[in-house]
Amino acid sequence: MTPRQAGAGAPARPRSYGFTLLELLVVMVIIGLLVGYVAPKYFSQVGKSEVMAARAQIDGLTKALGQYRIDNGDFPTTEQGLAALAIRPANAAKWDGPYLEKGVPADPWGNPYVYAMPGEHGDYDLQSYGKDGKPGGEGKDADITNW
């Protein structure tokens, strides 16, 4: 017996398997709620990792400056700057560098580190001005220093 002979008059339609608009909207709302909850926590971690990276870079630069001092008897001058760790200064007879593998890095926000010798807080001052690139600030904009 064919479907037409069964007496319904119209052929039986095969069942369509798919999602309704309502089901899709519910899934979208759930995804939106999850993103709204997770995204702020994720982005706050990114900010913390940049600060930690800056501290690690300052620590690495501090060690390189210490090695420079052992070889040359003093730290580079403010005019020579951190570039003296990668490129031999004209008056550094005992320079045995480069003291950095890949040259002088920028801070995690793309700004140069600020170096001064003699420093106000020690033999030299080394700092990053943070995310805003300006002295002072709080939170992610706070200065990161070697003192």
Side-chain angles (χ1 to χ4, degrees), residues 15-97:
R15 172 107 165 107
S16 174
Y17 296 101
F19 296 105
T20 65
L21 181 59
L22 182 61
E23 291 170 329
L24 290 175
L25 288 174
V26 168
V27 169
M28 294 296 287
V29 167
I30 291 170
I31 291 172
L33 289 172
L34 288 173
V35 167
Y37 178 73
V38 172
K41 293 184 182 292
Y42 171 75
F43 287 114
S44 71
Q45 293 302 319
V46 170
K48 288 180 186 176
S49 66
E50 289 171 331
V51 171
M52 289 173 51
R55 287 192 178 131
Q57 285 179 332
I58 286 176
D59 184 50
L61 291 169
T62 298
K63 290 175 182 169
L65 285 164
Q67 188 62 46
Y68 181 97
R69 181 180 188 184
I70 289 170
D71 290 348
N72 295 286
D74 206 355
F75 295 107
T77 64
T78 301
E79 292 76 29
Q80 292 170 331
L82 296 174
L85 299 173
I87 302 169
R88 177 187 215 121
N91 61 348
K94 297 181 181 179
W95 191 84
D96 192 27

Side-chain angles (χ1 to χ4, degrees), residues 93-144:
K94 297 181 181 179
W95 191 84
D96 192 27
Y99 300 96
L100 297 172
E101 235 177 83
K102 298 180 180 179
V104 181
D107 71 11
W109 301 279
N111 302 314
Y113 284 98
V114 179
Y115 172 78
M117 197 303 240
E120 294 178 18
H121 304 279
D123 291 331
Y124 63 89
D125 291 348
L126 179 60
Q127 62 186 325
S128 164
Y129 287 144
K131 185 175 183 177
D132 65 354
K134 298 175 185 171
E138 295 181 12
K140 295 175 189 170
D141 295 334
D143 296 349
I144 302 157

